[in-house]
């Protein structure tokens, strides 16, 4: 069974890192995985997006036009990519920055006020981790315990930021479960 | 060893180091700059050398110099950069020095674009530089395979005393996939004492080794060309590599595709199979020497009524496919350029059009 997620937002929002952590977790679970970034000519503040494909068999085409899931961190990303999500899919919306919705009735939406939640925890920089864990909990795409460990491992060289990111991770899980 | 998640570009660097390459020269160019970034960090850790040249022309000759001294050496670049290196590649092939080149192809001609492409098929397999030379050309379809090919490339370059070219595309360079590096790899020592200018005292020899590509005497040059030709003929006997995909069934259409494009074709083939439509594929892993016989035999199958070459170029490999099929069945081409990678649905449409013709 193959599943795909697209993470999209502004450059600097931690899109590539969130997607990478998800890919790590999937690999640790023994799944096949491909992490495919957009690398077009982008300018600072422009859009960035990245796709993660996971599968229990070898992945054929790593280029996905219609992902199962979308995580939109800003409005242009939602408007551009929500129409591509497969029916029955999930769209996670960073409601701190996105005042609109996908306007589709064949997918489910999860609203995560990621920037506000992150600021409450101490810094906006952990917004991507909140969204990542909320997405993982809602979609079940990867095991959240393994993912939590991957987030921890990722910051192994910057130990002082681990507690913050763990709090962010747990907050994202709570939002998804509410 | 456990699997690690790596970008294709980083994996190229690590694979080269593990294959005993301690000399890497390069000039940055999208979409392969991460190789240089990785090597800038890694080479000092293994007492290796990384020099960023002032241009790809200079890098080409840094490769020649190191190779002539018998050092394992690699460079990586992308299409316009490889054009600039092509003069040196011809010299290196003429001087019979082993070296490894990696081209993470982007769209062309000219500066083109920075997105994935397979537009350098002709450049890699039919020339690029001047004169009667060939490169051993390998084309990986993902990060794990590029690791294996980089590690194979060094001993192959030494076996034939010839440059080896690995062609990936921007997607393979930029994508991350899990990779496994072999444990306890024993790096075969180079045969350099027989030909390299590494010093008579160093190798304990009284014979001079001379590295050159200049032969002014016509007979001498003709003989040199015959020696080179003999090596290329030996490659055709010993180095052809390919994968046959879904070729057991009674397919009506045979796809020939390589690299990233072949993975898209595999998805299309699987999707069609689920609907009861068989499609076979030959995926060349070596572009020179080309798996002519494999393509010929797969096309000869009774059920097969058409062959299609699917590539991210305006039709380059299709000429080798025609050369393999030899008119037994109609051969056509499908592809896109500019950084567009055809989708599985688009591949399926092309195959269905051939079936319904």
């Amino acid at each position: 069974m193959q599943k795909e997620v697209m993470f999209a937002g502004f450059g600097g929002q931690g899109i590539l890192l969130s997607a990478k952590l998800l890919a790590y977790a999937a690999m640790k679970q023994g799944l096949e995985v491909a992490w495919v970034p957009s690398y077009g000519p982008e300018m600072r503040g422009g859009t960035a997006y990245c796709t993660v494909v996971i599968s229990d068999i070898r992945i054929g085409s790593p280029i996905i036009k219609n992902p199962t899931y979308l995580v939109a961190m800003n409005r242009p990303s939602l408007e551009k990519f929500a129409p591509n999500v497969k029916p029955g899919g999930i769209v996670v919306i960073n409601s701190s920055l996105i005042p609109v919705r996908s306007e589709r009735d064949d997918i489910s939406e999860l609203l995560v006020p990621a920037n506000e939640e992150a600021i409450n925890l101490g810094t906006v920089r952990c917004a991507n981790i909140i969204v990542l864990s909320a997405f993982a909990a809602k979609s079940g795409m990867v095991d959240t315990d393994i993912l939590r460990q991957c987030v921890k491992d990722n910051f192994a060289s910057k130990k002082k930021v681990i507690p913050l990111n763990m709090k962010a991770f747990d907050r994202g899980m709570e939002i998804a479960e509410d | 060893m456990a699997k690690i998640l790596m970008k294709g570009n980083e994996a190229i660097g690590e694979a080269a180091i593990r294959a005993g390459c301690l000399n890497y020269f390069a000039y940055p160019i999208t979409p392969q700059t991460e190789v240089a970034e990785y090597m800038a960090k890694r080479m000092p850790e293994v007492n290796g050398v990384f020099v960023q040249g002032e241009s790809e022309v200079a890098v080409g000759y840094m490769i020649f110099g190191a190779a002539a001294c018998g050092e394992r050496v690699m460079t990586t670049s992308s299409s316009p950069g490889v054009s600039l290196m092509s003069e040196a590649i011809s010299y290196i092939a003429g001087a019979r020095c082993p070296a490894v080149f990696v081209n993470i192809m982007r769209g062309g001609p000219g500066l083109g674009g920075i997105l994935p492409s397979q537009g350098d098929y002709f450049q890699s397999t039919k020339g690029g530089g001047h004169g009667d030379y060939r490169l051993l050309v390998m084309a990986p379809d993902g990060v794990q395979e590029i690791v294996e090919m980089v590690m194979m490339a060094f001993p192959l370059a030494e076996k034939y005393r010839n440059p080896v070219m690995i062609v990936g595309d921007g997607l393979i360079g930029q994508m991350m996939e899990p990779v496994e590096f072999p444990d306890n790899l024993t790096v075969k020592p180079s045969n350099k004492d027989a030909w390299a200018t590494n010093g008579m005292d160093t190798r304990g020899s009284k014979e001079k080794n001379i590295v050159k590509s200049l032969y002014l005497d016509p007979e001498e040059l003709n003989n040199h060309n015959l020696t080179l030709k003999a090596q290329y003929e030996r490659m055709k006997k010993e180095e052809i590599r390919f994968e046959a995909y879904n070729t057991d069934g009674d397919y009506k259409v045979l796809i020939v595709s390589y690299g990233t494009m072949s993975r898209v074709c595999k998805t299309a083939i699987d999707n069609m199979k689920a609907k009861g439509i068989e499609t076979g594929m030959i995926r060349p892993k070596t572009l020179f020497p080309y798996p002519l016989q494999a393509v010929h035999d797969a096309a000869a199958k009774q059920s097969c009524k058409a062959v299609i070459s699917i590539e991210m170029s305006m039709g380059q490999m299709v000429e080798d496919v025609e050369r393999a099929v030899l008119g037994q069945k109609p051969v056509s081409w499908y592809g896109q350029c500019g950084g567009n990678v055809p989708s599985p649905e688009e591949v399926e449409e092309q195959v269905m059009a051939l079936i319904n013709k």
Side-chain angles (χ1 to χ4, degrees):
Chain A
M1 185 64 189
Q2 182 171 305
K3 284 180 179 159
E4 312 95 9
V5 57
M6 176 182 276
F7 287 82
F10 292 122
Q13 278 184 311
I15 302 296
L16 297 181
L17 177 63
S18 291
K20 189 168 120 179
L21 292 166
L22 189 84
Y24 263 117
M27 184 181 77
K28 291 236 160 95
Q29 268 176 260
L31 295 165
E32 294 287 336
V33 51
W35 173 96
V36 184
S38 65
Y39 72 93
E42 305 287 5
M43 54 188 178
R44 194 177 293 255
T47 55
Y49 66 91
C50 180
T51 313
V52 177
V53 186
I54 67 166
S55 176
D56 45 11
I57 56 169
R58 188 159 192 255
I59 294 163
S61 173
I63 300 164
I64 303 297
K65 286 188 180 157
N66 301 104
T68 326
Y69 311 116
L70 168 68
V71 177
M73 290 297 280
N74 66 1
R75 183 172 177 166
S77 302
L78 181 72
E79 289 173 340
K80 189 170 176 191
F81 299 120
N84 300 344
V85 175
K86 276 187 196 130
I90 298 170
V91 176
V92 177
I93 297 173
N94 178 8
S95 55
S96 302
L97 299 183
I98 309 176
V100 295
R101 304 293 169 257
S102 72
E103 292 179 9
R104 285 184 57 175
D105 52 15
D106 58 345
I107 55 173
S108 57
E109 288 180 347
L110 172 66
L111 304 184
V112 181
N115 290 47
E116 285 148 81
E117 292 285 349
I119 291 164
N120 288 343
L121 292 175
T123 167
V124 71
R125 292 179 67 185
C126 63
N128 63 329
I129 302 298
I130 296 175
V131 166
L132 172 66
S133 64
F135 163 72
K138 170 85 176 168
S139 65
M141 193 172 173
V142 298
D143 184 301
T144 49
D145 289 339
I146 295 176
L147 181 61
R148 195 173 190 277
Q149 188 60 43
C150 288
V151 174
K152 205 171 178 177
D153 294 347
N154 182 68
F155 294 108
S157 61
K158 287 183 267 178
K159 284 211 162 47
K160 66 173 197 248
V161 305
I162 292 178
L164 172 73
N165 282 287
M166 292 296 101
K167 267 196 249 167
F169 193 92
D170 297 339
R171 184 64 196 128
M173 298 269 291
E174 282 169 25
I175 293 167
E177 279 152 21
D178 277 349
Chain B
M1 197 186 134
K3 283 191 174 175
I4 45 177
L5 195 62
M6 268 186 135
K7 262 195 165 194
N9 282 339
E10 296 168 341
I12 291 166
E14 187 58 32
I17 288 171
R18 291 186 189 222
C21 169
L22 294 178
N23 304 272
Y24 173 78
F25 312 121
Y27 188 81
I29 180 170
T30 305
Q32 65 75 50
T33 300
E34 292 88 350
V35 191
E37 185 188 2
Y38 188 83
M39 290 305 223
K41 185 182 77 190
R42 266 299 265 147
M43 274 302 192
E45 292 172 6
V46 293
N47 290 323
V49 178
F50 162 55
V51 178
Q52 179 176 318
E54 67 270 37
S55 72
E56 287 90 344
V57 175
V59 166
Y61 286 98
M62 289 177 181
I63 299 290
F64 191 9
C69 298
E71 292 291 314
R72 282 203 171 106
V73 62
M74 177 177 84
T75 187
T76 57
S77 191
S78 181
S79 313
V82 178
S83 291
L84 287 170
M85 290 176 187
S86 291
E87 180 191 57
I89 293 173
S90 167
Y91 277 64
I92 296 167
R96 300 200 61 205
C97 290
V100 175
F101 291 81
V102 181
N103 180 1
I104 299 298
M105 295 183 280
R106 56 186 254 180
L111 273 179
I114 60 171
L115 294 172
S117 160
Q118 296 180 326
D120 303 341
Y121 184 91
F122 283 152
Q123 183 194 51
S124 333
T125 62
K126 314 283 181 194
H130 59 279
D132 261 304
Y133 79 92
R134 309 304 295 252
L135 300 174
L136 202 163
V137 185
M138 294 191 278
D141 75 343
V143 181
Q144 181 67 48
E145 201 167 77
I146 206 166
V147 164
E148 288 157 17
M149 286 180 174
V150 167
M151 292 178 118
M152 278 162 54
F154 292 94
L156 283 172
E158 284 156 16
K159 176 177 173 185
Y160 293 98
R161 290 180 54 192
N162 201 73
V164 172
M165 175 70 78
I166 296 171
V167 289
D169 59 70
L171 192 83
I172 291 176
Q174 293 297 321
M175 177 167 67
M176 280 205 280
E177 288 187 306
V179 284
E180 218 169 347
F181 290 91
D183 280 324
N184 308 320
L185 177 82
T186 40
V187 180
K188 221 176 111 190
S190 161
N191 53 4
K192 63 185 175 187
D193 284 353
W195 51 267
T197 53
N198 57 346
M200 286 158 68
D201 290 345
T202 312
R203 61 176 180 270
S205 160
K206 296 213 172 0
E207 297 289 316
K208 268 188 195 167
N209 283 344
I210 298 171
V211 171
K212 61 165 189 172
S213 68
L214 178 68
Y215 295 88
L216 290 174
D217 178 70
E219 277 318 303
E220 207 191 343
L221 180 54
N222 189 47
N223 286 335
H224 177 58
N225 287 134
L226 286 169
T227 306
L228 294 179
K229 182 173 167 57
Q231 291 295 351
Y232 308 142
E233 293 304 320
R234 186 176 168 208
M235 287 179 196
K236 290 180 191 170
K237 285 201 184 75
E238 298 178 21
E239 308 305 340
I240 290 171
R241 290 172 175 86
F242 65 92
E243 178 193 1
Y245 190 74
N246 200 44
T247 50
D248 292 337
D250 283 333
Y251 51 85
K252 287 192 176 142
V253 172
L254 176 72
I255 293 174
V256 185
S257 190
Y258 71 98
T260 291
M261 195 61 243
S262 69
R263 288 180 62 163
V264 177
C265 292
K266 279 183 181 174
T267 298
I269 289 169
D270 293 348
N271 291 346
M272 285 186 279
K273 199 179 177 75
K275 298 177 200 161
I277 300 155
E278 294 290 340
T279 311
M281 178 166 78
I282 299 291
R283 171 172 79 93
K285 294 187 192 183
T286 50
L287 303 182
F288 183 89
Y290 196 78
L292 290 171
Q293 194 66 46
V295 173
H296 180 90
D297 293 351
K301 192 161 192 172
Q302 190 129 34
S303 62
C304 177
K305 47 185 253 187
V307 182
I308 182 166
S309 176
I310 303 184
E311 32 182 329
M312 280 138 58
S313 77
M314 283 291 129
Q316 299 191 19
M317 183 176 73
V318 64
E319 294 187 8
D320 279 334
V321 176
E322 283 167 347
R323 207 160 62 85
V325 174
L326 290 172
Q328 307 170 83
K329 306 283 163 71
V331 173
S332 56
W333 158 86
Y334 173 68
Q336 291 182 26
C337 278
N340 294 320
V341 182
S343 67
E345 292 74 26
E346 285 165 328
V347 169
E348 207 174 317
E349 257 173 49
Q350 295 295 321
V351 171
M352 291 314 294
L354 287 173
I355 290 176
N356 296 327
K357 210 171 186 174

